[in-house]
Structures are given as C-alpha cells and as structure tokens.
C-alpha cells in the first residue's frame, strides 16, 4: 500500500505515468466514468479548503465512486479531543482511500502510520502540499510542453507557502531548471530547503526582492498568497500582505510566452485585470487539479483501465 506525503514519494517515471494518465482522462473522460464504482474516498479536512477538497470529491465522483468526510475540525470528533491516529483507524473501516488536510506539519504522516487505507497529504501546515504540485506539474507540462529547461519565478510567501516547498522538491529532479525566488526578506524560502534541496541538487537559484527585476527572465511565474493563518501576529501580516501585486503594467515586462500560475485562493497579489491576459492560467490550473487527482486515486487504488 502506498501513501502520498511528499512529491518525492513518486519517482520521476511514476510521476510521468500519473501525468500521462491525467492527460488521457482529460481527453477520454467516459473511459473512466465507472472505474471506482463501489469505492469510497474520505476527505478529512481540519483546515479550510475550497479547491483541494472539492476537486478531490469531484475526482472521485467522476470515477463513479462516492465520497464522505468532514470539512472542519469543529464538525469532527477532533473537537472532543480525538487523536488523528484514532480517527484514521476508524475511517479505515469506512473508506478505501483518504485525503487529509491538517494545520500541524506531519499529521498526515502520523495518520499514514496507523492506516490500513492509502492516505494522501492534502496540505500539512507550512510543510508540503503534494497534490497541488501534481496539479502544477500537469499544468506546466501540458501548457508549456516540458518540465525541463525552465526558469521559474516563485513569488510571495516562500516561507510558509507549502505549495512552493513541494514544487521545489519536485522540480529539482528535471534537467536545467533554475529558480528566481522573489520575496521580502522575512518570507524567504527556509534554509533547510535551500541547503537540503536546492544546493544538494546543484540547482541554480537567485533571491530577489523586486518582482520587476525577475520578470523579463521567466518562463513561469508562480504567485502565492501571504499565508495569514501561519503568522504569529497580525501586524506582520498586514505589513506583508500587499507586498506584491501583479498588474497589467508589470506584466508588460514579462516574455510573451511566460505563464502565470497561482495555487489559489488569490487575495490581492494578482489584480483581476490580469485574468484576461492569455498568460494567466490559474483557472485552467484548477481544472487540471481534477484530472490529476483522478489519476492519483486510480494509481493509489491500483485500478487499471
Ligand atoms: C493552497 C494551500 O492550501 O496551501 N491552496 C490550495 O490548496 N490550492 C495555497 C493557499 O492557501 O494559499
């Protein structure tokens, strides 16, 4: 039985197969409409979510399966003091696979150690978000045609943004990838990622503060929200929250074929006028999230069509 905690739980070849399957699902959805008949997905969400939870549920429904779960800790027995370990033992009796989001780093890993069904990390605190990374890889590979030879700008809250952490882990495995890390000083990529992932894999990167300085060189710009819920005090958040605002004027500095991605939700970091620009692909990205989660569910359940 396989769980998904980090993008590194799959080899590059396994990831390629999942992305190929997601592309086939997009092109031939009818082939997969009953693939998970009789199977159940549990969504255990101890933290707010729109896309991740609902795209998981849409994915399972598209496969002909069913879904059950909770969408906040308050509406589960966590509010009564039940541990994640006990909850997952019980859920293992009710469902065939589960996706868990939790504010504490490592909680899905604890669940996986006690589970008799595959557990998918749907975001654990400021740590990792591997299924957003699958979504990002599918978006990039499909729209850009490759995952190698890319200069990627990661912009915003690189300290607490789990989507950024997982994406860096995944992309360093492809040849000739380099990063421009665009953030205020206080929200830089944590040093454990710079040392253990970027330096260790000899991946070139630069840290800059001004988005304008990076834009002309980018193949991809990955914008992120300042992660309000991870700040210790409101004042720091208020100071940081509008540090970057991508608007039409700034986008004039970018190459004509640069793509703008964002895991969403967006707050102010991309102004709505950018949505009309053909380079803005964040809503398409949300659609790719359904295909790739369908491919992931099939893979972890060992179902072949
Ligand atoms: C992200 C998350 O939850 O980390 N959202 C998502 O799953 N698409 C990004 C965010 O909340 O800013």
């Amino acid at each position: 039985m396989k769980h998904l905690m980090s993008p590194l739980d799959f080899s590059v070849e396994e990831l390629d197969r999942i992305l190929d399957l997601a592309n086939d699902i997009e092109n031939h959805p009818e082939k997969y409409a009953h693939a998970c008949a009789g199977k159940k997905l549990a969504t255990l969400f101890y933290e707010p979510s729109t896309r991740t939870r609902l795209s998981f549920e849409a994915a399972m429904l598209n496969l002909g399966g069913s879904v059950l779960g909770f969408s906040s800790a308050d509406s589960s027995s966590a509010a009564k003091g039940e541990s994640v370990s006990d909850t997952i033992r019980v859920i293992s009796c009710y469902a065939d696979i589960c996706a868990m989001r939790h504010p504490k780093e490592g909680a899905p890993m604890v669940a996986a150690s006690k589970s008799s069904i595959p557990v998918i990390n749907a975001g654990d605190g400021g740590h990792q978000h591997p299924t957003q990374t699958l979504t990002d890889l599918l978006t990039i590979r499909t729209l850009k045609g490759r995952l190698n030879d890319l200069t990627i700008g990661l912009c915003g809250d690189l300290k607490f943004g789990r989507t950024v952490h997982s994406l860096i882990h995944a992309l360093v495995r492809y040849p000739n990838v380099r990063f421009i890390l665009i953030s205020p000083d206080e929200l830089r990529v944590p040093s454990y990622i710079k040392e253990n992932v970027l330096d260790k894999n000899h991946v070139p990167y630069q840290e800059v503060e001004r988005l304008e300085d990076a834009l002309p060189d980018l193949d991809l710009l990955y914008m992120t929200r300042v992660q309000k819920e991870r700040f210790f005090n409101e004042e720091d958040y208020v100071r940081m929250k509008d540090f970057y605002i991508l608007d039409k004027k700034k986008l004039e500095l970018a190459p004509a074929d640069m793509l703008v991605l964002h895991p969403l939700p967006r707050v102010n970091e991309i102004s709505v006028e950018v949505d009309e620009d053909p380079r803005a692909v964040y809503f398409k990205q949300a659609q790719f999230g359904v295909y790739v989660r369908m491919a992931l569910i099939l893979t972890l359940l060992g179902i072949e069509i």
Side-chain angles (χ1 to χ4, degrees), residues 156-157 159-160 183-188 209 224-228 231 233-245 268-269:
D157 187 346
K159 178 179 181 189
F160 296 117
S183 75
D185 206 34
E186 286 146 283
L187 297 179
R188 289 187 184 198
E209 193 170 272
T224 63
R225 169 182 75 92
V226 176
Q227 305 280 299
K228 184 178 182 195
F231 277 74
N233 69 67
E234 174 84 14
E235 248 169 66
D236 288 345
Y237 169 68
V238 170
R239 205 159 36 80
M240 294 288 128
K241 74 182 172 69
D242 293 328
F243 205 95
Y244 297 107
I245 299 182
N268 290 327
E269 59 279 359

Side-chain angles (χ1 to χ4, degrees), residues 39-42 68 90-98 116-118:
K39 301 283 185 199
K40 294 189 212 91
L41 164 79
L68 65 164
V90 174
I91 300 297
S92 296
C93 311
Y94 302 160
D96 302 283
I97 184 165
C98 97
S116 55
I117 59 174

Side-chain angles (χ1 to χ4, degrees), residues 278-292:
R279 291 169 284 187
V281 298
Y282 28 89
F283 290 111
K284 280 190 196 153
Q285 191 181 351
Q287 173 69 64
F288 282 121
V290 178
Y291 304 134
V292 90

